Amino acid sequence: LDSLLQENWKVRRLNKMLVLVLGDLHIPHRTNSLPPQFKKLLVPGRIQHILCTGNLCTKESFDYLRTLANDVHVVKGDFDEMASYPDQKVVTVGQFRIGVVHGHQVVPWGDAESLAVINRQLDCDILISGHTHKFEAYEQEGKFYVNPGSATGAYSALDTDITPSFILMDIQSTTVVTYVYQLIDGEVKVDRIEFKKP
């Protein structure tokens, strides 16, 4: 798996459109750090953009993300200490408008229709949200919705059995290839999802 990841990152680094999507770290309140299996994969110089759904909780977690990429965008989660994070943000990467919200504002949490309303307001191709701590990705009405889950596997208000996960998006022209990294039984498993702009 490591050699495959390294080769994929070498190819992606050439076109400068690799986006790390993560959130709900809850360090140090609910966990101490990212899993070492993830830290090993997330090294400086491979990622061009970071989009974070919030709940980093401390400036130290933000500073760690800044070591991975210069272009870091974070929205405010319900446990973040940094008051300067916006509630929502729209970022353009390549030909895609990507909206980012934490998700605690969505009622019920993770609800597809409520997320669609937010996405219509933001007018994005992709909406990234968090808060549920569970990975999810789906296409609806020609838009792509992604929840990267919790990168640390921190428990949520609704569940204590959380699978640590994060996402890498490879943006090429009108296509986004999304790689989902999940830590299952101590091993990193990777799934691939493709979304094409209509």
Side-chain angles (χ1 to χ4, degrees):
L1 179 64
D2 281 342
S3 62
L4 174 66
L5 291 172
Q6 289 174 2
E7 188 57 36
N8 282 342
W9 264 326
K10 284 179 190 172
V11 170
R12 281 172 192 68
R13 192 169 58 198
L14 296 176
N15 63 21
K16 301 286 187 202
M17 293 296 209
L18 192 60
V19 180
L20 171 63
V21 180
L22 78 172
D24 290 304
L25 277 67
H26 288 279
I27 298 170
H29 308 295
R30 297 184 187 178
T31 188
N32 293 327
S33 67
L34 282 172
Q37 298 92 326
F38 285 176
K39 276 190 167 182
K40 181 179 164 187
L41 298 173
L42 300 174
V43 296
R46 293 183 174 172
I47 297 161
Q48 289 71 48
H49 311 278
I50 297 176
L51 303 177
C52 179
T53 63
N55 279 349
L56 290 173
C57 296
T58 65
K59 184 179 181 313
E60 290 78 16
S61 292
F62 176 80
D63 292 343
Y64 168 72
L65 294 182
R66 293 280 301 175
T67 69
L68 301 177
N70 290 328
D71 189 38
V72 178
H73 301 275
V74 180
V75 294
K76 186 170 178 47
D78 50 338
F79 285 91
D80 279 316
E81 295 173 0
M82 300 276 289
S84 61
Y85 298 148
D87 287 332
Q88 56 191 22
K89 188 164 196 168
V90 176
V91 178
T92 300
V93 179
Q95 296 181 31
F96 289 88
R97 281 179 52 87
I98 304 172
V100 186
V101 299
H102 176 64
H104 65 281
Q105 314 91 328
V106 176
V107 179
W109 295 342
D111 179 68
E113 290 306 314
S114 297
L115 290 168
V117 169
I118 291 171
N119 199 25
R120 282 191 290 277
Q121 292 168 349
L122 298 177
D123 189 28
C124 292
D125 304 299
I126 300 168
L127 182 66
I128 297 169
S129 64
H131 194 58
T132 66
H133 295 214
K134 291 190 177 189
F135 162 74
E136 187 173 28
Y138 59 92
E139 192 174 333
Q140 180 177 311
E141 298 175 0
K143 308 294 183 180
F144 191 44
Y145 294 82
V146 181
N147 183 328
S150 168
T152 60
Y155 67 88
S156 74
L158 301 177
D159 198 348
T160 57
D161 186 28
I162 302 295
T163 300
S165 59
F166 70 87
I167 293 171
L168 286 173
M169 297 178 121
D170 183 6
I171 298 179
Q172 305 171 7
S173 185
T174 59
T175 302
V176 175
V177 180
T178 301
Y179 295 91
V180 183
Y181 293 77
Q182 294 182 307
L183 187 61
I184 300 172
D185 297 326
E187 292 189 31
V188 177
K189 308 288 184 189
V190 183
D191 288 316
R192 181 181 187 274
I193 303 164
E194 191 169 300
F195 170 71
K196 291 187 180 202
K197 219 174 171 180

